[in-house]
Amino acid sequence: GIQVEQSPPDLILQEGANSTLRCNFSDSVNNLQWFHQNPWGQLINLFYIPSGTKQNGRLSATTVATERYSLLYISSSQTTDSGVYFCAVPNSGGYQKVTFGTGTKLQVIP
Amino acid sequence: EPEVTQTPSHQVTQMGQEVILRCVPISNHLYFYWYRQILGQKVEFLVSFYNNEISEKSEIFDDQFSVERPDGSNFTLKIRSTKLEDSAMYFCASNLRERETQYFGPGTRLLVL
């Protein structure tokens, strides 16, 4: 099946700093989602981004499907951004069976 | 904004017991999913359900698991005889079309003793 790796695995930021999280995948994909898992375990949709760039407030994401990666940018980080960030892609040829990445654990300190 | 809901939020059970986890997907959605996340690990796909039947399932989804949409609103995951290693967070998700965002519920934390 498809392999999905995220980097870095852990990240500590000072409040106000910017960061870039990366998601690499081993096969071509037809969609990609970014999620934030908050400290209470809830999975929050951030972006559905099969290609191109999207922005939502302080967050933006870019997927370059031909090069098999996606980036999540967090600007002016806040303590509420802490948690784990996952990307998720469907298995080759389908849409439903989704493989999650290994995650990036972010801690934003005041 | 519509959201996926799950009950219970937490469940503790004894090994060998049956559990049923319940989900109410977003009302006009047609595709339904279950995922699980063992503590500290990544989220894993279990099964997808469309048109009243399983459309895809993972290797994890063996004979002890079953899913059902008993009425027009609920979507359930049954674990027939729980094992210690079934302890995990179970997430339900839904979407209107395959190629769209999957919306996740808040999860049910299952602990098997």
Side-chain angles (χ1 to χ4, degrees):
Chain A
I2 193 166
Q3 305 298 312
V4 186
E5 297 290 332
Q6 291 183 242
S7 59
D10 296 278
L11 184 59
I12 299 175
L13 291 178
Q14 200 77 43
E15 199 169 24
N18 304 327
S19 64
T20 301
L21 282 55
R22 188 177 179 102
C23 171
N24 291 330
F25 37 94
S26 60
D27 205 347
S28 58
V29 299
N30 42 37
N31 71 44
L32 184 144
Q33 287 188 242
W34 281 99
F35 295 91
H36 174 216
Q37 187 167 39
N38 65 22
W40 295 270
Q42 291 180 304
L43 280 171
I44 311 297
N45 287 296
L46 295 177
F47 294 100
Y48 172 82
I49 183 166
S51 63
T53 298
K54 288 186 179 178
Q55 178 141 16
N56 185 2
R58 296 181 295 104
L59 302 182
S60 65
T62 295
T63 297
V64 185
T66 52
E67 296 187 23
R68 301 181 185 175
Y69 73 89
S70 183
L71 302 174
L72 178 69
Y73 306 94
I74 304 174
S75 64
S76 303
S77 57
Q78 299 175 358
T79 55
T80 51
D81 295 332
S82 297
V84 183
Y85 290 80
F86 290 103
C87 62
V89 299
N91 275 20
S92 302
Y95 296 94
Q96 296 180 27
K97 184 176 180 180
V98 168
T99 296
F100 276 69
T102 48
T104 291
K105 186 173 181 181
L106 173 65
Q107 185 179 357
V108 181
I109 54 177
Chain B
E1 184 176 324
E3 56 183 24
V4 177
T5 59
Q6 290 185 241
T7 54
S9 57
H10 294 79
Q11 180 151 3
V12 181
T13 190
Q14 295 291 323
M15 192 169 55
Q17 295 296 303
E18 174 183 285
V19 296
I20 298 176
L21 309 183
R22 290 184 167 80
C23 168
V24 179
I26 294 173
S27 62
N28 64 334
H29 284 185
L30 301 176
Y31 293 83
F32 314 111
Y33 310 84
W34 282 102
Y35 294 82
R36 80 171 185 191
Q37 184 183 31
I38 294 170
L39 187 64
Q41 299 185 19
K42 65 178 183 177
V43 179
E44 302 171 288
F45 170 86
L46 290 178
V47 66
S48 60
F49 191 86
Y50 170 71
N51 200 25
N52 275 322
E53 58 183 27
I54 290 173
S55 42
E56 292 199 60
K57 61 182 181 178
S58 72
E59 319 72 61
I60 303 167
F61 193 86
D62 61 23
D63 291 345
Q64 70 159 341
F65 291 96
S66 62
V67 289
E68 193 177 31
R69 188 154 161 82
D71 53 41
S73 59
N74 291 284
F75 179 51
T76 61
L77 174 70
K78 182 192 290 187
I79 309 176
R80 267 180 260 284
S81 177
T82 50
K83 304 173 189 151
L84 296 176
E85 54 265 35
D86 293 328
S87 296
M89 179 81 102
Y90 288 82
F91 292 102
C92 172
S94 69
N95 57 5
L96 177 58
R97 300 178 188 86
E98 285 183 291
R99 301 186 187 203
E100 295 181 349
T101 300
Q102 291 185 18
Y103 291 89
F104 280 69
T108 292
R109 194 175 295 279
L110 176 66
L111 179 61
V112 182
L113 302 176

